[in-house]
Amino acid sequence: MRRFEYARPRTPQEAVDLVAGSDDAAFLAGGSNLVDHLKVGIASPGVLVDVGGLGLDRVEETDGGLRIGAGVRNSDLAAHPVVRSRYAVLARSLLAGASAQIRHQATTAGNLLQRTRCVYFYDATTPCNKREPGTGCSAVDGYQRYNAILGASAACVTVHPSDLAVGLAVLDATVEVLGPDGARTLPLADLHRLPGDSPEQDTTLAHGELITAVTVPRLPEGAVSTYYKARDRASYAFALVSVAAVVAGDEVRVAWGGVAHRPWRATVLEEALRGGPLDEETVRAACLEELAPATTGPGTAFKLEMVTGATAMVLTDLAGRAR
Amino acid sequence: MSDDLRIKEIGMERSRVEGALKVTGRAPYAMEHGAGHGVQEPLHAFLVGSTVSRGRVLAVHADEVRGSEDVVAVLDHTNAPRLADTDDEEYAVLQDDEVHFRGQVVALVLATTSEAAREGARRVRVEYAAEPGEHVFDEDSEGDEPEKLNAGLPPSGSTGEPDLALASATHVLDETYRTPYMHNNPMEPHATTALWDLGPDGAELRCFDSTQAAHSVRSTLARLFGIEAGRVHVEASHVGGGFGSKGLPHAHNVVAVLAARSQPGRWVRLAVTRQQMFALTGYRTATISRFRLGAGPDGVLGVISHDVVEQTSRCKEFAEQTVAPTRHVYAAPNRRTSTRLVRLDVAVPSWMRAPGEMPGSFAQEAAMDELADLVGLDPIELRRRNEPEADPETGKSFGDRRLLECFDRGAERFGWSERGPARSRLEGDWYVGLGTAASVYPAYTQPGNQARVLAEPGGYRVEIGAVDIGTGARTVLRQIAADALDVDLDAIDLRLGSSDLPIASVAGGSSGTSSWGWAIVAASRTFRAQHGTSPEPGDESVAGPPKKPVDEDYALHSFGAQFVEARVNRFTGEVRVPRMLGVFSVGRVVNPKLARSQLVGGMTMGLSTALFEESWRDPRFGHVVTDDLATYHVATHADVRDIEAAWLDESDHRANPMGLRGIGEIGITGAGAAVASAVTNATGVRQRSIPVTPDKALGWE
């Protein structure tokens, strides 16, 4: 059987040192993704560094907003009274993900760092550049239903599976990171990357860097927000497309899920809609602009209609409530 | 026939006998038999599947694996024990170097821990001489006509002059309807724990198996391994669902015993993973149905023509009887059915809940729904005008056929009269539509069943080698035994789930309660004739029904009408079904509580196939890539809202002494077409294939 070491450090620095010190080490948080990888044989770290005992499990209200510990469970964060009362988009994106059992187990940072659910990534008998760089992409001409329509490359056409990441993207969240060279912060928008020629890298984090917290700024007075996830079945399914949105006065913020290798902040659309009316026709026209660079195949063409429709539904609804 | 059977316990609502055991985790399943059941220090087997779909195994490199910690053996085609019978290619596992489909078992690792077996299997390297395989078919694929369809039915048939009738019809519908590949996905994947025991009198084979048919696992293994059936003992005390995929033994049964045979005296455990199930334990073929209906101005059918193209594996034929329901539901003087079977380098298809009737009834009912539109008739009225007086192709009487009564009762209960024209109802963001379809399933009784009645102090032990796969068989057979022996329920100790008990047929074809119940009634009558009403403990009788139990003058079928309300989000196309009603005519209901579970379960699976289920086979590789419960979507709780099953109060004395006709499968038939009908009514976009996904609902695809 394959043996691995298991470490349970007591401080974030200790955890970082353990992982940074070995190419073969990986952080283990809730385990709802990594343990699957171990079982199906697509990950085989020699050292698992459990970050469950680092005290990163608190949600704090700060002057600027909210500071969410990396280890806060998805279900706890969704139930937090401040999240529920002020950040509807956050609570809804959390509750749209997975199942109750998995949300009890999964953590904030673990959710952000989960890997693609592309069927070829999971099937070690097929080529996949993300799993084995240089073998080719099976998805581009294969099962396409969950493929990207924006920002994909010839090397990888998959999407990021997280709902929470899309909710945080629209909130302009910041990620606090501890690494071998000390602490740094980066905008959540810069955490995930497009696949380019190196789809094996999901994020911009270096090996050994540990997310310790996510901070979310306060929303403007009177802001309304929500998250909508369109999917085949009503529960326990990844997004075909999803929409996170904030409407605050003249400002409109939109992020899309299920369309790209990272949460897709729809900046072209945001600019087009700033200060204007949020009626269905206008929103649909703005989506068309945002989707101008989209590329689709027979299995993904519907996503253009779907993400446009979902965005129109969400923004017209928010506009009605913001009044 | 039912006149002399006491009806007192039959018809009563009773909870499952084994319910408490199951919900407290004490009911042992095939993988859970341990020292308490004599299973000491079992070895664990893990399967290695082929990564090519056609070709030959050149070499299995496993020396390193053989030498690693906890690994006991690696079997491949060069060193596995030989079978006595290799005619059936599905069962001839590890007997030669040929690869017939991707995922076929090409090696197996045996180890003292399951982790070591799995890791060993991952590290076995198999070298192939691969050949290009064929993995896809369409309506133009050549194929051929199989000799027989599943259930022994003819692949084709013709009455009258279908082509002439089509040419002269006022209304002609000529459309193609499609159903996708589907996999059964029971909660408990297939598993076997096996022992090849070298006793002083020769070998004995013992298995704890997750099967719908302990006796057919026994007879198949006996034949394959060349030992007497009496030396094979198969136990299946609890089974976590099967839906047909455990109706026949599959490759894993054989390979588990090969492993046990190679290690005499050691128990071997083999669990098929969810992913491996998609290649090894059967599935439903995709079907392409061309339906041509010709009707007069009043909607009365002059012709029904149904041409099917479907596939099977090149290594073993399984021909889904997709045309079957077309022969029994609607009247028309001119009729034609045909089946073309395309042979591919793919996994072996098999039974899946209502084989034939499920995809066939989808096509036929969707076509009738579309014809109703074409003629300008209410879909129920169209069916009323085409109700046959007798079975259309054989002319036999149906006995009781109360399909229209099911439609009428259902229509009233569901509020069918509120149904408007297509795309006429928008509530908030959702288009709302109503749909309906007929359900049909034949009343099968399997021959050859036997039961034993044994007097014990204070009661009776009643034994039959049937399997309760979660349906409640244990409970309803006990009720039938109580009435057959004219005693209280408490006096019956009902035993089943073992091939050491009297021979019983498969828990499939909705035939279990009918076939096994009849055997119990027959054995009880024999017992009373031989031992009277005051028997001594130890008195026993074994008996079964007459050789040809079913009256062949009748075309006995169950019928039903399903009603669906569908909502389609006008922005996203997402489909939700808030309400579903089925009204069924199924003969006598033995236990309303369990019957409701069966019917609602069938309807739920029908809903699931209508909206979600699709095994996506990669045309390049030839295997299903949506091979787990995250990617092969079945309905979740959130998808299943208000589902109601009702039935007519009746008893069919032509079917069997209990007056019942079987309820396991009829709920899934017609459900898909009713959903498609409702979505079409909601959005105005005609749905001719399932699953009805959001992109199809609004016509984006």
Side-chain angles (χ1 to χ4, degrees), chain A residues 205-229:
Chain A
L205 296 183
H207 181 72
E209 283 195 307
L210 175 72
I211 296 178
T212 51
V214 175
T215 56
V216 179
R218 193 180 287 278
L219 280 172
E221 205 61 38
V224 286
S225 72
T226 196
Y227 183 76
Y228 190 86
K229 182 178 187 180

Side-chain angles (χ1 to χ4, degrees), chain B residues 180-192:
Chain B
Y181 297 106
M182 301 175 198
H183 277 77
N184 312 45
N185 277 304
M187 283 287 282
E188 181 204 17
H190 300 59
T192 297

